Each structure stands twice: as structure tokens, then as C-alpha cells.
Amino acid sequence: MPDWLITLLVKLGISFASGAIIFSAGRFWTTLVRPWIENLWYQGFRLAPCYVGEFTLQGAVQNDLIDVKQKASSVWGTMTFPGGGQGVYHFKGVILDSVLRGTYEGTRRNPTVRGSFLLMNHPGKRELEGWFLEPYKGTVLAAPYKWTPKP
């Protein structure tokens, strides 16, 4: 085999190997190290792991159970109605200056249900208060929404 071909194959092998190492290091940084550092240095509002939500729709007060996960300013989790009739909703959101803004989507029972919410934390309180919006039959439902930490 000619020397130039061996040199070319070695250079190509080294290039592919270094590209794979750089890609792996980048994925490791963005998925593990960076989120861990951001969460460690995050100085903003920390949510409780579980809340009871309260809202009024068409004159009836309704409640849901909210399980929350948080990494720095990113928030995600599930909203479940105690009776189970309306199913489970997955949500994700972001906290900026004590304001949680997020979106939710229905799962198995109501996969087409989508909406958004905007909740504010008042200084010295653990409750979040605000509004949720949801498109419904050509209109938009808007209702006051309150999250109270579950004891």
C-alpha cells in the first residue's frame, strides 16, 4: 500500500475520532454539567414539590393536584384532577422574576387540550396566583388560577 494512502487513512481516522470525542464532550456538557451548575447557582424562586390548584370554570370551583419538578428556572410536571375524569396534563414553564409562565397539554383522555398559564409569586408567600387560558369551541376560556403548596 502506498505511503500517501496510509497517511490519508490515518488522518481521516484521527479526524473522525476527534469529531466523535468533541461531539460526546459537547453532549455531556449540555445535558449534565451545565444544568447542574445552573441549578447550583440559581438564586430565584424555588417551588414546592406539590401544589393544589384552584380555579373557577362556569361558576364551579375546581381543584387539581400539581406535581412539580424544577431545575434552576425551568419547571415541568403534571396536573391531575382528583376524580380522574378529566385526565392528566403535562406542563412545562419558566420562572422569570417570580413569575411562572408555562403551557400544558392533555394526555390520554384529552390529548387535544392545550393551554397556557401565568402565575405570580407575591413576596413572603408560597402561593402562586394568576390566570390560565385555554381555547375551547371557538372561544378562549380564561379563569383565575391559584396554586397553594400541599401540606
Side-chain angles (χ1 to χ4, degrees):
M1 194 181 294
D3 288 341
W4 66 269
L5 185 57
I6 293 172
T7 305
L8 177 66
L9 291 175
V10 168
K11 287 182 180 181
L12 283 173
I14 291 172
S15 296
F16 284 123
S18 62
I21 290 170
I22 290 171
F23 176 78
S24 298
R27 294 292 294 166
F28 178 74
W29 174 261
T30 57
T31 58
L32 294 175
V33 177
R34 185 173 164 212
W36 181 80
I37 291 171
E38 287 175 352
N39 192 45
L40 184 65
W41 280 327
Y42 178 68
Q43 297 295 316
F45 180 64
R46 297 268 182 192
L47 296 173
C50 191
Y51 284 87
V52 174
E54 180 180 301
F55 57 95
T56 304
L57 262 183
Q58 299 168 348
V61 176
Q62 298 185 28
N63 293 309
D64 58 351
L65 184 62
I66 302 141
D67 290 315
V68 179
K69 306 274 190 256
Q70 181 179 3
K71 282 255 192 220
S73 61
S74 297
V75 178
W76 67 96
T78 58
M79 301 170 175
T80 308
F81 286 86
Q86 295 167 338
V88 176
Y89 298 85
H90 291 291
F91 73 91
K92 59 184 172 183
V94 176
I95 298 174
L96 295 171
D97 298 328
S98 297
V99 175
L100 171 60
R101 126 186 100 109
T103 58
Y104 60 89
E105 293 183 356
T107 56
R108 286 175 264 163
R109 288 194 181 204
N110 293 321
T112 59
V113 174
R114 288 168 176 64
S116 58
F117 56 89
L118 183 68
L119 301 168
M120 182 175 180
N121 172 254
H122 298 287
K125 293 186 176 181
R126 295 292 293 163
E127 293 88 15
L128 298 163
E129 294 180 342
W131 290 83
F132 84 87
L133 301 167
E134 181 178 305
Y136 181 73
K137 295 184 180 179
T139 64
V140 176
L141 297 176
Y145 197 25
K146 181 178 180 180
W147 287 12
T148 305
K150 189 174 179 185

